[in-house]
């Protein structure tokens, strides 16, 4: 019985990686494609963190492209439209950041999902 439980846990966690080291690689599952609009906020330092606050006041964590993070002054505070998909992320105590597809994202934030930005435009 103990062997079956161990086997099930091992199979379920294949590909999982949780740690608080700089190389943390926590991956979520993509669950839908979407378009969001709202005011962009970018926090500099670390790996960079972004969020978008919609007209309804709802906050969305963002996985921003490097081109936006390297030009914070051109984007921070503007109303933008972003295209991409929401990706669920696990809550891992002590994690400093996690990886969503090809981007490192700061831990914390305002929601249980991170919106992976494929395209961004100012409104």
């Amino acid at each position: 019985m103990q062997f079956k439980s161990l086997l099930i846990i091992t199979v379920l966690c294949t590909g999982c990686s949780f740690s608080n080291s700089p190389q943390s690689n926590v991956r979520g599952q993509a669950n839908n494609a979407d378009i969001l609009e709202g005011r962009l906020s970018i926090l500099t330092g670390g790996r960079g963190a972004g969020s978008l606050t919609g007209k309804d006041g709802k906050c969305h964590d963002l996985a921003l492209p490097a081109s936006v993070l390297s030009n914070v002054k051109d984007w921070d505070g503007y109303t933008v439209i972003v295209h991409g998909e929401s990706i669920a992320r696990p809550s891992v105590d002590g994690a400093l950041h996690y990886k969503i597809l090809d981007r490192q994202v700061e831990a914390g934030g305002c929601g249980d999902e991170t919106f992976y930005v494929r395209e961004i435009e100012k409104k």
Side-chain angles (χ1 to χ4, degrees):
M1 184 64 178
Q2 287 179 333
F3 178 75
K4 285 184 182 180
S5 297
L6 179 60
L7 180 61
I8 290 171
I9 291 171
T10 302
V11 170
L12 290 176
C13 284
T14 300
C16 297
S17 175
F18 304 100
S19 85
N20 60 0
S21 72
Q23 298 302 316
S24 180
N25 187 27
V26 178
R27 294 178 185 262
Q29 297 292 321
N31 52 29
N32 64 340
D34 215 344
I35 299 171
L36 298 174
E37 179 180 342
R39 185 176 177 95
L40 179 63
S41 296
I42 302 173
L43 299 174
T44 57
R47 302 203 180 271
S51 64
L52 183 139
T53 304
K55 292 178 184 178
D56 60 359
K58 184 175 180 184
C59 180
H60 303 271
D61 294 320
L62 302 176
L64 292 165
S67 61
V68 173
L69 292 173
S70 64
N71 294 299
V72 173
K73 291 179 186 176
D74 294 337
W75 293 99
D76 187 42
Y78 286 91
T79 298
V80 297
I81 298 171
V82 294
H83 302 258
E85 62 263 0
S86 293
I87 300 176
R89 61 182 164 94
S91 176
V92 181
D93 291 337
L96 300 175
H97 62 273
Y98 53 93
K99 188 170 183 176
I100 299 260
L101 302 176
D102 62 337
R103 300 185 187 151
Q104 293 286 334
V105 181
E106 294 287 333
C110 58
D112 295 330
E113 295 185 330
T114 299
F115 192 84
Y116 183 89
V117 177
R118 295 198 181 275
E119 296 178 36
I120 185 169
E121 61 188 88
K122 291 179 186 171
K123 183 168 180 195

